[in-house]
Coordinates of all heavy atoms in Angstrom, one line a residue:
M1 N 67.4 137.3 40.2 CA 66.3 137.5 41.0 C 65.9 139.0 40.9 O 66.7 139.8 41.1 CB 66.5 137.2 42.5 CG 67.0 135.6 42.7 SD 65.5 134.6 43.1 CE 65.6 134.5 44.8
A2 N 64.6 139.1 40.8 CA 64.0 140.5 40.8 C 62.9 140.6 41.8 O 62.1 139.6 42.0 CB 63.5 140.7 39.4
F3 N 62.7 141.8 42.4 CA 61.6 142.0 43.4 C 60.4 142.3 42.6 O 60.3 143.2 41.7 CB 61.9 143.1 44.2 CG 60.9 143.5 45.3 CD1 60.8 142.7 46.3 CD2 60.1 144.6 45.1 CE1 59.8 143.0 47.3 CE2 59.2 144.8 46.1 CZ 59.0 144.1 47.1
L4 N 59.2 141.5 43.0 CA 58.0 141.7 42.3 C 57.1 142.1 43.4 O 56.6 141.3 44.2 CB 57.5 140.2 41.7 CG 56.1 140.4 41.1 CD1 56.0 141.2 39.9 CD2 55.6 139.0 40.9
P5 N 56.7 143.4 43.3 CA 55.8 143.8 44.3 C 54.3 143.2 44.1 O 53.8 143.1 43.0 CB 55.7 145.4 44.3 CG 56.2 145.6 42.8 CD 57.0 144.5 42.5
L6 N 53.7 142.9 45.3 CA 52.3 142.3 45.1 C 51.2 143.2 45.7 O 50.1 143.1 45.2 CB 52.3 140.9 45.9 CG 53.3 139.8 45.4 CD1 53.5 138.7 46.3 CD2 53.0 139.5 43.9
C7 N 51.4 143.9 46.7 CA 50.6 144.7 47.5 C 51.1 145.7 48.3 O 52.3 145.4 48.7 CB 49.4 143.9 48.1 SG 50.1 143.0 49.5
K8 N 50.4 146.6 48.9 CA 51.0 147.6 50.0 C 50.7 146.8 51.3 O 49.8 146.0 51.5 CB 50.1 148.8 49.9 CG 50.3 149.6 48.7 CD 49.5 150.9 48.7 CE 49.7 151.8 47.6 NZ 48.9 152.9 47.5
T9 N 51.7 147.2 52.1 CA 51.6 146.6 53.5 C 50.3 146.8 54.1 O 49.9 145.9 54.8 CB 52.9 147.0 54.3 OG1 52.8 148.5 54.3 CG2 54.2 146.4 53.8
D10 N 49.8 148.0 54.1 CA 48.6 148.3 54.7 C 47.3 147.7 54.2 O 46.4 147.8 54.7 CB 48.5 149.8 54.9 CG 48.2 150.5 53.6 OD1 48.1 149.9 52.6 OD2 48.3 151.8 53.5
E11 N 47.5 147.0 53.1 CA 46.3 146.3 52.5 C 46.1 145.0 53.2 O 45.2 144.2 53.2 CB 46.6 145.9 51.0 CG 46.5 147.1 50.2 CD 46.7 146.8 48.6 OE1 45.7 146.4 48.0 OE2 47.8 146.8 48.2
V12 N 47.1 144.5 54.1 CA 47.0 143.1 54.7 C 47.1 143.3 56.2 O 48.5 143.5 56.9 CB 48.1 142.1 54.4 CG1 47.8 140.7 54.7 CG2 48.2 142.2 52.7
E13 N 46.1 143.3 57.0 CA 46.1 143.6 58.4 C 46.8 142.4 59.1 O 46.8 141.2 58.6 CB 44.8 143.8 59.0 CG 44.1 145.1 58.5 CD 42.8 145.3 59.2 OE1 42.3 144.5 60.0 OE2 42.1 146.2 58.8
S14 N 47.4 142.6 60.3 CA 48.0 141.7 61.1 C 46.9 140.6 61.4 O 45.8 140.8 61.8 CB 48.5 142.3 62.4 OG 49.1 141.2 63.2
G15 N 47.3 139.3 61.1 CA 46.5 138.2 61.4 C 45.6 137.9 60.2 O 44.6 137.1 60.5
S16 N 45.8 138.5 59.0 CA 44.9 138.2 57.9 C 45.7 138.0 56.7 O 47.0 138.0 56.7 CB 44.0 139.5 57.7 OG 44.8 140.5 57.1
S17 N 45.0 137.8 55.5 CA 45.7 137.4 54.3 C 45.0 138.1 53.2 O 43.9 138.6 53.3 CB 45.7 135.8 54.1 OG 44.4 135.4 53.9
L18 N 45.7 138.1 52.1 CA 45.3 138.7 50.9 C 45.5 137.9 49.6 O 46.7 137.5 49.5 CB 45.8 140.3 50.8 CG 45.3 140.9 49.4 CD1 43.9 141.4 49.6 CD2 46.3 142.1 49.2
R19 N 44.7 137.7 48.9 CA 44.9 136.8 47.7 C 45.3 138.0 46.4 O 44.6 138.9 46.3 CB 43.6 136.0 47.1 CG 43.7 135.3 45.9 CD 42.3 134.6 45.6 NE 42.3 134.2 44.2 CZ 42.3 133.0 43.8 NH1 42.6 132.0 44.6 NH2 42.2 132.7 42.5
V20 N 46.3 137.6 45.9 CA 46.8 138.4 44.7 C 47.0 137.5 43.5 O 47.3 136.3 43.6 CB 48.1 139.1 45.0 CG1 47.8 140.1 46.2 CG2 49.2 138.2 45.4
E21 N 46.8 138.2 42.4 CA 46.9 137.2 41.1 C 48.0 137.9 40.1 O 47.4 138.7 39.2 CB 45.6 137.2 40.5 CG 44.6 136.4 41.3 CD 43.3 136.0 40.7 OE1 43.2 136.1 39.4 OE2 42.3 135.8 41.5
P22 N 49.3 137.8 40.3 CA 50.2 138.5 39.6 C 50.2 137.8 38.0 O 49.9 136.6 38.2 CB 51.4 138.2 40.2 CG 51.4 137.1 41.2 CD 49.9 137.1 41.4
D23 N 50.6 138.5 37.2 CA 50.8 138.0 35.7 C 51.9 136.9 35.9 O 52.9 136.9 36.6 CB 51.2 139.0 34.8 CG 50.2 140.0 34.7 OD1 49.0 139.8 34.9 OD2 50.6 141.2 34.1
S24 N 51.6 135.8 35.1 CA 52.6 134.7 35.0 C 52.9 133.9 36.1 O 53.9 133.1 36.2 CB 54.0 135.2 34.4 OG 54.7 136.0 35.4
L25 N 52.1 134.1 37.2 CA 52.2 133.2 38.4 C 50.8 132.6 38.8 O 49.9 133.5 38.5 CB 52.9 134.0 39.6 CG 54.3 134.2 39.6 CD1 54.8 135.2 40.8 CD2 55.2 133.0 39.5
P26 N 50.8 131.6 39.6 CA 49.4 131.2 40.1 C 49.1 132.2 41.1 O 49.9 132.9 41.6 CB 49.7 129.7 40.5 CG 51.2 129.7 40.9 CD 51.8 130.7 39.8
P27 N 47.8 131.9 41.6 CA 47.2 133.0 42.6 C 48.1 132.7 43.9 O 48.5 131.7 44.2 CB 45.9 132.5 42.8 CG 45.4 131.8 41.6 CD 46.7 131.3 41.0
L28 N 48.5 133.9 44.5 CA 49.3 133.9 45.8 C 48.6 134.3 47.0 O 47.5 135.2 46.7 CB 50.6 134.7 45.5 CG 51.5 134.3 44.2 CD1 52.6 135.3 44.2 CD2 52.0 132.9 44.5
A29 N 49.0 133.9 48.1 CA 48.3 134.4 49.4 C 49.4 135.2 50.1 O 50.6 134.5 50.4 CB 47.9 133.2 50.3
V30 N 49.1 136.4 50.4 CA 50.1 137.3 51.2 C 49.5 137.3 52.7 O 48.3 137.6 53.0 CB 50.1 138.6 50.8 CG1 51.1 139.5 51.5 CG2 50.6 138.7 49.3
F31 N 50.3 136.8 53.6 CA 50.0 136.7 55.0 C 50.7 137.7 55.9 O 51.9 137.9 55.6 CB 50.2 135.3 55.6 CG 49.4 134.1 55.0 CD1 49.8 133.5 54.0 CD2 48.1 133.9 55.6 CE1 48.9 132.4 53.4 CE2 47.3 132.9 55.2 CZ 47.6 132.1 54.1
N32 N 50.1 138.2 56.9 CA 50.7 139.2 57.8 C 50.7 138.5 59.1 O 49.4 138.4 59.7 CB 49.9 140.5 57.7 CG 50.6 141.5 58.7 OD1 51.2 141.0 59.8 ND2 50.3 142.6 58.7
L33 N 51.8 138.0 59.7 CA 51.7 137.4 60.9 C 52.5 138.4 62.0 O 53.7 138.5 61.8 CB 52.5 136.1 61.0 CG 51.9 135.0 60.2 CD1 52.8 133.8 60.2 CD2 50.5 134.7 60.5
D34 N 51.6 139.2 62.7 CA 52.3 140.1 63.6 C 53.2 141.1 62.9 O 54.3 141.3 63.5 CB 53.0 139.4 64.8 CG 51.9 138.7 65.7 OD1 50.8 139.1 65.8 OD2 52.2 137.5 66.2
G35 N 52.9 141.6 61.8 CA 53.9 142.4 61.1 C 54.9 141.8 60.1 O 55.6 142.5 59.5
E36 N 55.0 140.5 60.2 CA 55.9 139.8 59.3 C 55.1 139.2 58.1 O 54.0 138.6 58.4 CB 56.6 138.7 60.2 CG 58.0 138.3 59.6 CD 58.8 137.3 60.4 OE1 58.4 137.1 61.7 OE2 59.7 136.7 59.9
F37 N 55.5 139.4 57.0 CA 54.9 138.9 55.8 C 55.4 137.7 55.2 O 56.6 137.5 55.2 CB 54.9 140.1 54.8 CG 54.1 141.3 55.2 CD1 54.8 142.4 55.8 CD2 52.7 141.4 54.9 CE1 54.0 143.5 56.3 CE2 52.1 142.5 55.4 CZ 52.5 143.5 56.0
F38 N 54.5 136.8 54.7 CA 54.8 135.5 54.2 C 54.0 135.3 52.8 O 52.8 135.7 52.8 CB 54.6 134.4 55.1 CG 55.5 134.4 56.3 CD1 55.0 135.2 57.4 CD2 56.8 134.1 56.3 CE1 55.8 135.3 58.6 CE2 57.6 134.1 57.4 CZ 57.1 134.8 58.5
V39 N 54.6 134.8 51.8 CA 53.7 134.7 50.5 C 53.9 133.1 50.3 O 55.0 132.5 50.1 CB 54.3 135.4 49.5 CG1 53.6 135.1 48.3 CG2 54.1 136.9 49.7
I40 N 52.8 132.5 49.9 CA 52.7 131.2 49.5 C 51.7 131.1 48.4 O 50.9 131.9 48.2 CB 52.3 130.1 50.7 CG1 50.9 130.4 51.1 CG2 53.3 130.2 51.9 CD1 50.5 129.4 52.3
H41 N 51.6 129.8 47.7 CA 50.6 129.6 46.7 C 49.2 129.6 47.5 O 49.1 129.1 48.6 CB 50.7 128.2 46.1 CG 51.8 128.3 44.9 ND1 52.1 127.2 44.2 CD2 52.4 129.4 44.4 CE1 52.8 127.6 43.2 NE2 53.0 128.8 43.3
D42 N 48.2 130.3 46.8 CA 46.9 130.4 47.5 C 46.1 129.2 47.2 O 45.2 128.7 48.3 CB 46.2 131.6 46.8 CG 44.8 131.6 47.6 OD1 44.8 131.8 48.8 OD2 43.8 131.8 46.9
T43 N 46.3 128.4 46.3 CA 45.4 127.3 45.9 C 45.8 126.1 46.8 O 47.1 125.6 46.7 CB 45.4 126.9 44.5 OG1 44.9 128.1 43.8 CG2 44.3 125.8 44.1
C44 N 45.0 125.4 47.6 CA 45.5 124.3 48.4 C 45.9 123.3 47.6 O 45.5 122.9 46.5 CB 44.1 123.9 49.1 SG 44.4 122.4 50.2
T45 N 47.0 122.4 47.9 CA 47.6 121.4 47.3 C 46.6 120.1 47.1 O 47.0 119.2 46.4 CB 48.9 120.9 47.8 OG1 48.8 120.6 49.2 CG2 50.1 122.0 47.7
H46 N 45.7 120.2 48.0 CA 44.7 119.0 48.1 C 43.6 119.3 47.1 O 43.0 118.2 46.8 CB 44.2 118.8 49.5 CG 43.3 117.7 49.6 ND1 41.9 117.9 49.8 CD2 43.4 116.4 49.5 CE1 41.3 116.7 49.8 NE2 42.1 115.7 49.6
G47 N 43.3 120.5 46.8 CA 42.1 120.8 45.8 C 42.3 122.1 45.4 O 43.3 122.6 45.3
D48 N 41.1 122.7 45.1 CA 41.0 124.0 44.5 C 40.6 125.1 45.4 O 40.4 126.3 45.0 CB 40.2 124.1 43.3 CG 40.8 123.4 42.1 OD1 42.0 123.3 42.0 OD2 40.0 122.8 41.3
A49 N 40.7 124.9 46.7 CA 40.3 125.9 47.7 C 41.2 127.0 47.8 O 42.5 126.8 47.7 CB 40.2 125.3 49.1
S50 N 40.8 128.2 48.2 CA 41.7 129.4 48.3 C 42.0 129.4 49.8 O 41.0 129.5 50.7 CB 41.0 130.7 47.9 OG 41.8 131.7 48.4
L51 N 43.3 129.4 50.1 CA 43.7 129.4 51.5 C 43.4 130.7 52.2 O 43.4 130.8 53.3 CB 45.2 129.0 51.7 CG 45.6 127.6 51.4 CD1 47.0 127.3 51.6 CD2 44.7 126.6 52.1
C52 N 43.2 131.8 51.3 CA 42.9 133.1 51.8 C 41.5 133.1 52.5 O 41.1 134.0 53.1 CB 43.0 134.2 50.7 SG 44.7 134.7 50.5
D53 N 40.7 132.1 52.1 CA 39.5 132.0 52.7 C 39.5 131.1 54.0 O 38.4 130.9 54.7 CB 38.4 131.3 51.8 CG 38.1 132.2 50.7 OD1 38.2 133.4 50.8 OD2 37.8 131.6 49.5
G54 N 40.7 130.6 54.6 CA 40.7 129.8 55.6 C 41.1 130.5 56.9 O 41.4 131.7 56.9
E55 N 41.0 130.0 58.1 CA 41.2 130.4 59.3 C 42.7 130.5 59.6 O 43.4 129.6 59.3 CB 40.6 129.7 60.5 CG 39.0 129.7 60.3 CD 38.5 131.1 60.8 OE1 39.1 131.7 61.8 OE2 37.5 131.5 60.1
I56 N 43.1 131.6 60.2 CA 44.7 131.8 60.6 C 44.8 131.6 62.1 O 44.1 132.3 62.8 CB 45.1 133.1 60.0 CG1 45.0 133.2 58.5 CG2 46.7 133.2 60.6 CD1 45.4 134.6 58.0
E57 N 45.7 130.8 62.5 CA 45.8 130.8 64.0 C 47.3 130.1 64.2 O 47.6 129.1 63.7 CB 44.8 129.9 64.6 CG 44.7 129.8 66.1 CD 43.5 129.2 66.8 OE1 42.6 128.8 66.0 OE2 43.7 128.8 68.0
D58 N 47.9 130.7 65.0 CA 49.2 130.3 65.6 C 50.3 130.0 64.4 O 50.9 128.9 64.4 CB 49.1 129.0 66.4 CG 48.4 129.2 67.7 OD1 48.4 130.4 68.3 OD2 47.7 128.4 68.2
G59 N 50.2 130.9 63.4 CA 51.1 130.8 62.3 C 50.7 129.6 61.4 O 51.4 129.2 60.4
E60 N 49.5 129.2 61.4 CA 49.0 128.1 60.6 C 47.6 128.6 59.8 O 47.0 129.5 60.4 CB 48.7 126.9 61.3 CG 49.8 126.2 62.1 CD 49.4 125.1 63.0 OE1 48.2 124.7 63.0 OE2 50.5 124.6 63.6
V61 N 47.5 128.1 58.7 CA 46.3 128.4 58.0 C 45.5 127.1 57.7 O 46.1 126.1 57.3 CB 46.5 129.2 56.7 CG1 47.2 128.4 55.7 CG2 45.1 129.6 56.1
E62 N 44.2 127.1 58.1 CA 43.4 125.9 57.9 C 42.5 126.0 56.5 O 41.8 127.1 56.3 CB 42.4 125.8 59.0 CG 41.6 124.6 59.0 CD 40.7 124.3 60.1 OE1 39.8 125.3 60.4 OE2 40.9 123.4 60.9
C63 N 42.7 125.1 55.7 CA 41.9 125.1 54.4 C 40.5 125.1 54.7 O 40.0 124.3 55.5 CB 42.4 123.9 53.5 SG 41.3 123.8 52.0
P64 N 39.8 126.0 53.9 CA 38.2 126.0 54.3 C 37.5 124.9 53.8 O 36.3 124.7 54.1 CB 37.8 127.3 53.4 CG 38.9 127.5 52.5 CD 40.2 126.9 53.1
W65 N 38.1 124.0 52.9 CA 37.3 122.9 52.3 C 37.3 121.6 53.2 O 36.3 121.1 53.5 CB 37.8 122.6 50.8 CG 37.2 123.6 49.9 CD1 36.6 124.7 50.1 CD2 37.2 123.4 48.5 NE1 36.2 125.4 48.9 CE2 36.7 124.6 47.9 CE3 37.8 122.4 47.6 CZ2 36.7 124.7 46.5 CZ3 37.6 122.6 46.2 CH2 37.0 123.8 45.7
H66 N 38.6 121.1 53.5 CA 38.7 119.9 54.1 C 39.5 120.0 55.4 O 40.0 119.0 55.9 CB 39.2 118.8 53.2 CG 38.6 118.7 51.8 ND1 39.0 119.0 50.8 CD2 37.2 118.3 51.6 CE1 38.2 118.9 49.8 NE2 37.1 118.5 50.3
N67 N 39.8 121.2 55.7 CA 40.4 121.5 57.1 C 41.9 121.1 57.3 O 42.3 121.1 58.3 CB 39.7 120.9 58.2 CG 38.1 121.3 58.2 OD1 37.3 120.6 57.7 ND2 37.9 122.6 58.4
A68 N 42.5 120.8 56.1 CA 44.0 120.6 56.3 C 44.7 122.0 56.8 O 44.2 122.9 56.4 CB 44.6 120.2 54.9
K69 N 45.8 121.8 57.5 CA 46.4 122.9 58.0 C 47.8 122.9 57.5 O 48.5 121.9 57.3 CB 46.6 122.8 59.5 CG 45.3 123.1 60.3 CD 45.4 123.0 61.8 CE 44.1 123.4 62.4 NZ 44.2 123.4 63.9
F70 N 48.3 124.2 57.1 CA 49.7 124.4 56.5 C 50.4 125.5 57.5 O 49.7 126.4 58.0 CB 49.4 125.1 55.2 CG 48.8 124.1 54.2 CD1 47.5 124.1 53.9 CD2 49.6 123.2 53.5 CE1 46.9 123.2 53.0 CE2 49.0 122.3 52.5 CZ 47.7 122.4 52.2
C71 N 51.7 125.2 57.5 CA 52.6 126.2 58.2 C 52.7 127.3 57.3 O 53.2 127.3 56.1 CB 53.9 125.6 58.5 SG 55.1 126.9 59.2
I72 N 52.3 128.6 57.6 CA 52.5 129.7 56.7 C 53.9 130.1 56.5 O 54.1 130.4 55.4 CB 51.7 130.9 57.4 CG1 50.2 130.6 57.4 CG2 51.9 132.3 56.7 CD1 49.2 131.5 58.1
K73 N 54.7 129.9 57.4 CA 56.2 130.3 57.1 C 56.8 129.2 56.3 O 57.7 129.7 55.4 CB 57.0 130.3 58.5 CG 56.5 131.3 59.5 CD 57.3 131.5 60.7 CE 56.8 132.6 61.4 NZ 57.4 132.8 62.8
T74 N 56.6 127.9 56.4 CA 57.3 127.0 55.5 C 56.4 126.3 54.5 O 57.0 125.7 53.5 CB 57.8 125.8 56.5 OG1 56.6 125.1 57.0 CG2 58.6 126.4 57.7
G75 N 55.2 126.5 54.5 CA 54.3 125.9 53.5 C 54.0 124.5 53.7 O 53.2 123.8 53.1
K76 N 54.7 123.9 54.8 CA 54.5 122.5 55.1 C 53.1 122.1 55.4 O 52.4 122.7 56.1 CB 55.3 122.2 56.3 CG 55.5 120.6 56.7 CD 56.4 120.4 57.8 CE 56.3 118.9 58.0 NZ 57.1 118.5 59.3
A77 N 52.6 120.9 54.8 CA 51.2 120.4 55.1 C 51.5 119.6 56.7 O 52.2 118.8 56.8 CB 50.8 119.4 54.1
L78 N 50.6 120.2 57.5 CA 50.7 119.8 58.8 C 49.7 118.7 59.1 O 49.9 117.9 60.2 CB 50.4 120.9 59.9 CG 51.5 122.1 59.6 CD1 51.2 123.3 60.5 CD2 52.9 121.6 60.0
T79 N 48.4 118.7 58.5 CA 47.4 117.7 58.8 C 46.8 117.2 57.6 O 46.8 118.0 56.5 CB 46.3 118.3 59.7 OG1 45.7 119.4 59.0 CG2 46.9 118.8 61.1
F80 N 46.3 116.0 57.6 CA 45.6 115.5 56.5 C 44.3 116.2 56.3 O 43.8 116.7 57.1 CB 45.3 113.9 56.7 CG 46.5 113.1 56.6 CD1 47.1 112.6 57.7 CD2 47.0 112.8 55.4 CE1 48.2 111.9 57.6 CE2 48.1 111.9 55.2 CZ 48.8 111.5 56.3
P81 N 43.7 116.2 55.1 CA 44.0 115.3 54.0 C 45.2 115.8 53.0 O 45.6 115.2 52.1 CB 42.7 115.2 53.1 CG 42.1 116.5 53.3 CD 42.4 116.9 54.7
A82 N 45.7 117.0 53.2 CA 46.9 117.5 52.4 C 48.1 116.9 53.0 O 48.3 116.8 54.0 CB 47.0 119.1 52.6
V83 N 49.0 116.5 51.8 CA 50.3 115.8 52.1 C 51.4 116.7 51.5 O 52.5 116.6 51.9 CB 50.4 114.4 51.9 CG1 49.5 113.5 52.7 CG2 50.0 114.2 50.5
E84 N 51.0 117.4 50.6 CA 52.1 118.1 49.7 C 52.1 119.7 50.2 O 51.1 120.3 50.6 CB 51.6 118.2 48.1 CG 52.5 118.7 47.4 CD 52.0 118.7 45.8 OE1 51.2 117.8 45.4 OE2 52.6 119.5 45.1
A85 N 53.3 120.2 50.4 CA 53.5 121.5 50.9 C 53.0 122.5 49.9 O 53.0 122.4 48.7 CB 54.9 121.7 51.2
Q86 N 52.6 123.6 50.4 CA 52.3 124.9 49.6 C 53.8 125.4 49.2 O 54.7 125.6 50.0 CB 51.5 125.9 50.3 CG 50.3 125.5 50.8 CD 49.2 125.3 49.5 OE1 48.8 124.2 49.5 NE2 49.2 126.3 48.7
K87 N 53.8 125.9 47.9 CA 55.1 126.5 47.5 C 55.2 127.9 48.2 O 54.3 128.6 48.4 CB 55.2 126.7 46.1 CG 56.4 127.5 45.6 CD 56.5 127.5 44.0 CE 57.6 128.3 43.6 NZ 59.0 128.1 44.2
T88 N 56.4 128.1 48.7 CA 56.7 129.4 49.5 C 57.5 130.3 48.5 O 58.2 129.8 47.6 CB 57.3 129.2 50.7 OG1 58.6 128.5 50.5 CG2 56.5 128.4 51.7
Y89 N 57.6 131.7 48.9 CA 58.4 132.5 48.2 C 59.3 133.5 49.1 O 58.8 133.7 50.2 CB 57.5 133.6 47.3 CG 56.9 132.8 46.1 CD1 55.7 132.1 46.3 CD2 57.5 132.8 44.8 CE1 55.1 131.5 45.2 CE2 57.0 132.1 43.8 CZ 55.9 131.6 44.0 OH 55.2 130.9 42.9
L90 N 60.4 133.7 48.7 CA 61.3 134.7 49.4 C 60.5 136.1 49.5 O 60.3 136.6 48.3 CB 62.6 134.8 48.9 CG 63.6 135.6 49.6 CD1 63.8 135.3 51.1 CD2 65.0 135.7 48.9
T91 N 60.2 136.6 50.6 CA 59.2 137.6 50.7 C 59.9 138.8 51.3 O 60.6 138.7 52.4 CB 58.0 137.4 51.6 OG1 57.4 136.2 51.0 CG2 57.1 138.5 51.7
R92 N 59.8 140.0 50.8 CA 60.4 141.1 51.4 C 59.5 142.4 51.3 O 58.5 142.3 50.6 CB 61.7 141.6 50.5 CG 62.8 140.5 50.6 CD 64.1 141.2 50.2 NE 64.1 141.4 48.9 CZ 64.6 142.7 48.3 NH1 64.9 143.7 49.2 NH2 64.6 142.9 47.1
V93 N 59.6 143.4 52.2 CA 58.9 144.6 52.1 C 59.9 145.6 51.7 O 61.0 145.9 52.2 CB 58.6 144.9 53.6 CG1 57.8 146.4 53.5 CG2 57.5 144.0 53.9
V94 N 59.6 146.3 50.5 CA 60.4 147.4 50.0 C 59.4 148.6 49.7 O 58.4 148.5 49.0 CB 61.0 147.0 48.5 CG1 61.7 148.1 47.9 CG2 61.9 145.9 48.8
D95 N 59.8 149.7 50.3 CA 59.0 151.0 50.1 C 57.5 150.8 50.3 O 56.6 151.3 49.5 CB 59.3 151.5 48.7 CG 60.6 152.0 48.4 OD1 61.4 152.4 49.4 OD2 61.1 151.9 47.4
G96 N 57.2 150.1 51.5 CA 55.8 149.9 51.7 C 55.0 148.9 50.9 O 53.8 148.8 51.0
H97 N 55.8 148.2 50.2 CA 55.1 147.1 49.4 C 55.7 145.7 49.7 O 56.7 145.5 50.0 CB 55.3 147.3 48.0 CG 54.6 148.4 47.3 ND1 55.0 149.8 47.4 CD2 53.4 148.5 46.6 CE1 54.1 150.6 46.8 NE2 53.1 149.8 46.3
V98 N 54.8 144.8 49.9 CA 55.1 143.3 50.1 C 55.3 142.8 48.7 O 54.6 143.0 47.9 CB 54.0 142.7 50.9 CG1 54.4 141.2 51.1 CG2 53.6 143.3 52.0
G99 N 56.5 142.1 48.6 CA 56.7 141.4 47.3 C 57.6 140.3 47.4 O 58.0 139.8 48.6
I100 N 57.9 139.6 46.4 CA 58.7 138.3 46.4 C 59.8 138.4 45.4 O 59.8 139.2 44.5 CB 57.8 137.1 45.9 CG1 57.1 137.3 44.7 CG2 56.7 136.8 47.2 CD1 56.3 136.0 44.1
E101 N 60.8 137.7 45.6 CA 61.8 137.5 44.7 C 61.7 136.3 43.8 O 61.3 135.3 44.0 CB 63.2 137.2 45.4 CG 63.6 138.3 46.5 CD 64.1 139.5 45.7 OE1 64.3 139.5 44.6 OE2 64.2 140.6 46.4
V102 N 61.7 136.7 42.5 CA 61.4 135.8 41.3 C 62.5 135.8 40.4 O 63.2 136.8 40.2 CB 60.1 136.1 40.8 CG1 58.8 135.8 41.8 CG2 59.9 137.4 40.2
Ligands
FES201 S1 41.1 121.5 49.3 FE1 42.3 122.0 50.9 S2 42.1 120.3 52.2 FE2 41.0 119.7 50.5

């Protein structure tokens, strides 16, 4: 496993998200939940919507297209029409950068 930095911690304010497009991976969504960072696939498993365009509330993100909700920590699909979980990544902060283990 190797650490892949995605962005600086100060690029993602608490309660918000940032879409990043690393080489050799699909677009990813970096979330900041009260100072804790989580990274999941950005493209909704139900369609092609970017979850970074969705509303964040209580640790969940709501897809902007058909309003499915996902748990940001686990990627689990919580409401229809999505049934498939978002892929999650082991997320760490190293030297002021948010990144994942790949
Ligand atoms: S594209 Fe996300 S719920 Fe349909």
Side-chain angles (χ1 to χ4, degrees):
M1 295 267 256
F3 181 71
L4 174 66
L6 299 173
C7 64
K8 293 180 179 175
T9 53
D10 60 10
E11 290 180 87
V12 194
E13 290 183 13
S14 181
S16 73
S17 63
L18 177 71
R19 178 183 162 103
V20 295
E21 298 184 17
D23 292 341
S24 75
L25 286 174
L28 302 177
V30 180
F31 290 92
N32 179 340
L33 299 181
D34 295 326
E36 204 174 349
F37 292 91
F38 300 90
V39 175
I40 66 175
H41 275 179
D42 182 54
T43 305
C44 180
T45 56
H46 179 251
D48 284 333
S50 167
L51 293 184
C52 281
D53 292 334
E55 295 288 322
I56 299 168
E57 192 175 344
D58 296 333
E60 300 172 2
V61 61
E62 183 178 63
C63 178
W65 281 13
H66 311 111
N67 308 106
K69 290 184 179 179
F70 296 90
C71 175
I72 291 169
K73 294 183 180 181
T74 67
K76 184 177 179 187
L78 301 171
T79 62
F80 287 103
V83 292
E84 191 181 331
Q86 294 296 122
K87 179 172 173 51
T88 60
Y89 289 86
L90 181 57
T91 305
R92 293 200 293 131
V93 173
V94 176
D95 293 334
H97 288 80
V98 184
I100 54 175
E101 296 291 342
V102 291

